[in-house]
Amino acid sequence: MYGVCGCCGALRPRYKRLVDNIFPEDPEDGLVKTNMEKLTFYALSAPEKLDRIGAYLSERLIRDVGRHRYGYVCIAMEALDQLLMACHCQSINLFVESFLKMVAKLLESEKPNLQILGTNSFVKFANIEEDTPSYHRSYDFFVSRFSEMCHSSHDDLEIKTKIRMSGIKGLQGVVRKTVNDELQANIWDPQHMDKIVPSLLFNLQHVEEAESRSPSPLQAPEKEKENPAELAERCLRELLGRAAFGNIKNAIKPVLIHLDNHTLWEPKVFAIRCFKIIMYSIQPQHSHLVIQQLLSHLDANSRSAATVRAGIVEVLSEAAVIAATGSVGPTVLEMFNTLLRQLRLSIDYALTGSYDGAATLGTKIIKEHEERMFQEAVIKTIGSFASTLPTYQRSEVILFIMSKVPLPSLHHPVEMGKTGENRNRLTQIMLLKSLLQVSTGFQCNNMMSALPSNFLDRLLSTALMEDADIRLFVLEILISFIDRHGNRHKFSTISTLGDISVLKLKVDKCSRQDTVFMKKHSQQLYRHIYLSCKEETNIQKHYEALYSLLALISIELANEEVVVDLIRLVLAVQDVAQVNEENLPAYNRCALYALGAAYLNLISQLTTVPAFCQHIHEVIETRKKEAPCMLPEDVFVERPRLSQNLDGVVTELLFRQSKISEVLGGSGYNSDRLCLPYIPQLTDEDRLSKRKSIGETISLQVEVESRNSPEKEEREPAEEITYETLKKAIVDSVAVEEQERERRRQVVEKFQKAPFEEIAAHCGARASLLQSKLNQIFEITIRPPPSPSGTITAAYGQPQNHSIPVYEMKFPDLCVY
């Protein structure tokens, strides 16, 4: 029967005859349009036949592909496309299965033209919105095949470009078809993302190669349209733009793996470009998820080469700056914590020379200069990200970083690496560098908020350390916080300008909050400035920082009291150079003289007191003639001109405290305070800063107390402070607190539960006791003094004083005039 139907066309089913009629005798004539219209009308009239039409077209196409009749293959695909566009009935799902089967057959072909034909048909299908859902359709094959086409390595460049672009378009079609349809296979699963994302990145990666092979500039616009890199970028942006909160991780992880596998972190240009695309494509509220992924990847690569880690950090820097404009979320402190941890690990690697803590034959040798490059990248990232944060978050970051700085009181036994440097010292330097980056450009109107007590105490405790680099960082950090009007760069050079108006300083009146801050912390700041000036290891940068700090305090935080104290401080620094109890070198003494001259020249012009300005000007002119080595123009130069004989400095070369007190006192300043020499009060903090442990400091304090006591021979030896002693003191204090708490509880309970009569009686008894005490006091104070004649004995043998009036008293003869 089937043989007869095959031979006799009139006996064949109508849908087959209609399908056969759309194919011309010569395939070059193309699709027979009139017959195609008949087939379309039949499919719309009898939708139940649509699946059979699709199956028969699929059968013919497979047969034509096998016989290499590619003209008929193109006609069959064109017919399928038109049927898809026209039919949206409930039976279309079965027709789609036949359609996808034919597309898969074309994609499996080795002919590039058939692959491109199948891709184009699939893209048209992807743009169709289906009315009925499909529960069993799978796109796994298409994801795999399109991804493979994206990596085409055909010998012909033009054909390779077309195949890659077809693969990208196919992936784009799969994404559009499945990304928003919950009934379809989840395209965000790792098995799909691990194919789609690397394929797009691979084409992005070869953009330079494609551009370098373009034949001529005239063809550039045409080539741009056919550029796989631009198409891949658009597809990647579309993919990420459709990503929901829970899918970001699956989309970002393949990017990180691709950059690892192709070693693309070290040039870092492509990696930065990729993450810029990602950060600008995803929704702003998802930015912190990308930051978290990068932080986790940095931790996972903590033992990778320094160049790889540096690339990840720089990418993180770019991504964090973009994320800060949106929503960073809870990852702010997490990011800084991770970066600081990586910084400490890098210091350990540089000191030990290996990733395992000890260099052995099997370990990878670390290049120290690469680790330093990585450390600088981390510090730069910390600064760039912090600069985008609002003030309140920046303050939290500043406190967080400062809490990580190892203080002198917390030093452990010195650990030396192959370079002979202390791990704690390197950690302090790197963290202070990070803090300096964060504080640069920090703007806060209230200094109490910018420099809270706990932060300032920790910062200044490092200002008196023996390491010159650490002291310099602390000074620069203080300058960054105090400079709120951008005057810092105007004091970068120490000089004695005749007219400071050329500096164009921005000066505002000291606010009430700043006055409160200086009342609370001014003596602490002055003490550290004074002691920093006395350090023998100071160089020109230290004196420039000290001058900037003094000048900025005078401009930003000064009232009349602060000006007086700063003048006293600078005169005390002049005395340090003159007396030279510290045995400072000639350069340091000349530098202190020059520092004092530059600052007093500045403050005299800021106060605008003519007599004060005249005195300062006279001393400076005298120094120019007789001792130029005491002025900054001769000291703070590349080759300083010093004098070795500074012991016999005449009075005319010095700024006199009595003269300054006199001229400023006449202008309303506190002359009594100006007459007092500045003497810093050394605290436990200053002693502690140059000690290695708390134990040494405590033993020093006990020893000093025993030596300075005038009764040390009679006093018992000081109790030895041990762990048990401290433990006992803590336990006793806890017990006392418990007793006090229990007593309060009983009192409250008594007043809550006792009857009113009992409470009244208790209060009355207390009132009576108080009244009796008051009567005794009044009697003692009002009663006349006892008679000098003595006492008499009352009953029971008790002596009793007589109250004799004053006019009856007998006074000795010596009291009579």
Side-chain angles (χ1 to χ4, degrees), residues 4-14 17:
V4 173
C5 291
C7 296
C8 302
L11 300 178
R12 301 181 67 202
R14 184 181 179 188
R17 286 186 276 116

Side-chain angles (χ1 to χ4, degrees), residues 744-756 758-759:
R744 292 181 179 178
R745 188 189 64 78
Q746 292 176 358
V747 171
V748 172
E749 184 178 358
K750 180 177 180 180
F751 275 87
Q752 289 177 344
K753 298 181 179 179
F756 176 76
E758 182 179 347
I759 296 174

Side-chain angles (χ1 to χ4, degrees), residues 99-117:
F99 169 79
L100 293 179
K101 183 178 179 182
M102 287 183 280
V103 172
K105 184 65 177 179
L106 294 180
L107 294 177
E108 288 175 350
S109 172
E110 295 181 357
K111 298 292 182 178
N113 292 335
L114 295 184
Q115 297 175 12
I116 296 172
L117 178 64

Side-chain angles (χ1 to χ4, degrees), residues 342-535:
Q342 292 295 326
L343 200 58
R344 288 194 296 270
L345 286 175
S346 178
I347 292 171
D348 291 340
Y349 296 158
L351 288 173
T352 59
S354 71
Y355 297 118
D356 301 324
T360 60
L361 293 177
T363 57
K364 182 180 179 181
I365 302 302
I366 293 175
K367 296 179 181 179
E368 191 173 347
H369 71 278
E370 292 182 353
E371 290 297 334
R372 290 179 180 173
M373 178 189 68
F374 169 71
Q375 294 163 11
E376 293 298 328
V378 171
I379 294 171
K380 179 183 175 183
T381 299
I382 289 174
S384 61
F385 180 46
S387 63
T388 63
L389 297 177
T391 302
Y392 73 94
Q393 279 188 330
R394 207 165 174 181
S395 300
E396 292 178 358
V397 171
I398 289 170
L399 294 175
F400 179 74
I401 296 176
M402 193 67 225
S403 67
K404 300 292 184 180
V405 178
L407 295 179
S409 59
L410 302 178
H411 277 180
H412 301 290
V414 179
E415 300 178 11
M416 308 299 289
K418 66 178 182 179
T419 59
E421 294 177 321
N422 186 353
R423 177 179 282 102
N424 283 330
R425 173 186 174 274
L426 289 177
T427 304
Q428 288 168 348
I429 289 176
M430 291 301 167
L431 292 178
L432 289 175
K433 275 187 177 180
S434 304
L435 192 59
L436 179 60
Q437 287 284 335
V438 176
S439 62
T440 302
F442 180 72
Q443 295 291 334
C444 186
N445 295 327
N446 189 354
M447 289 303 296
M448 295 292 290
S449 301
L451 293 172
S453 299
N454 55 346
F455 171 77
L456 190 61
D457 293 342
R458 292 180 66 89
L459 181 63
L460 293 180
S461 65
T462 60
L464 300 178
M465 297 184 66
E466 297 178 356
D467 191 283
D469 293 335
I470 293 178
R471 295 200 310 272
L472 183 59
F473 281 127
V474 173
L475 292 173
E476 291 179 347
I477 290 169
L478 286 173
I479 290 170
S480 297
F481 278 110
I482 296 175
D483 181 25
R484 294 174 293 183
H485 294 87
N487 292 316
R488 176 182 181 177
H489 66 280
K490 300 173 184 177
F491 302 113
S492 58
T493 303
I494 307 178
S495 62
T496 54
L497 288 174
D499 183 10
I500 64 169
S501 62
V502 298
L503 297 177
K504 297 180 180 180
L505 300 175
K506 299 177 182 178
V507 183
D508 282 344
K509 185 178 179 181
C510 183
S511 64
R512 182 178 176 275
Q513 293 86 352
D514 294 342
T515 302
V516 173
F517 172 80
M518 290 304 292
K519 283 184 177 180
K520 185 175 182 180
H521 298 293
S522 59
Q523 295 304 319
Q524 192 178 10
L525 286 171
Y526 301 154
R527 182 175 68 249
H528 284 81
I529 292 173
Y530 177 80
L531 296 177
S532 295
C533 290
K534 296 170 66 175
E535 291 292 341

Side-chain angles (χ1 to χ4, degrees), residues 679-716:
I679 301 175
Q681 181 181 2
L682 294 178
T683 62
D684 294 341
E685 175 192 355
D686 303 320
R687 302 190 195 102
L688 191 62
S689 62
K690 294 186 179 180
R691 299 256 156 207
K692 291 183 180 178
S693 66
I694 298 177
E696 292 183 14
T697 304
I698 295 176
S699 63
L700 174 66
Q701 293 172 348
V702 174
E703 182 181 356
V704 169
E705 288 180 359
S706 62
R707 287 183 179 180
N708 294 340
S709 174
E711 304 173 356
K712 70 175 184 178
E713 293 84 359
E714 300 178 5
R715 289 174 57 186
E716 296 180 0

Side-chain angles (χ1 to χ4, degrees), residues 98 162 181 186 205 224 239 277 321 345 371-372 396 443 528 552 604 614 620 637 645 652 691 715 717:
S98 301
K162 289 182 179 179
D181 191 349
N186 191 358
Q205 182 182 344
E224 285 179 4
L239 175 68
I277 293 173
V321 170
L345 286 175
E371 290 297 334
R372 290 179 180 173
E396 292 178 358
Q443 295 291 334
H528 284 81
L552 289 171
S604 65
Q614 182 180 357
I620 291 175
V637 291
N645 185 15
E652 289 75 11
R691 299 256 156 207
R715 289 174 57 186

Side-chain angles (χ1 to χ4, degrees), residues 24 29 45 186 209 223 292 317 361 395 688 704 726 800:
D29 294 338
S45 303
N186 191 358
E209 178 183 352
K223 285 290 178 183
Q292 287 177 344
S317 174
L361 293 177
S395 300
L688 191 62
V704 169
L726 296 174
Q800 183 177 0

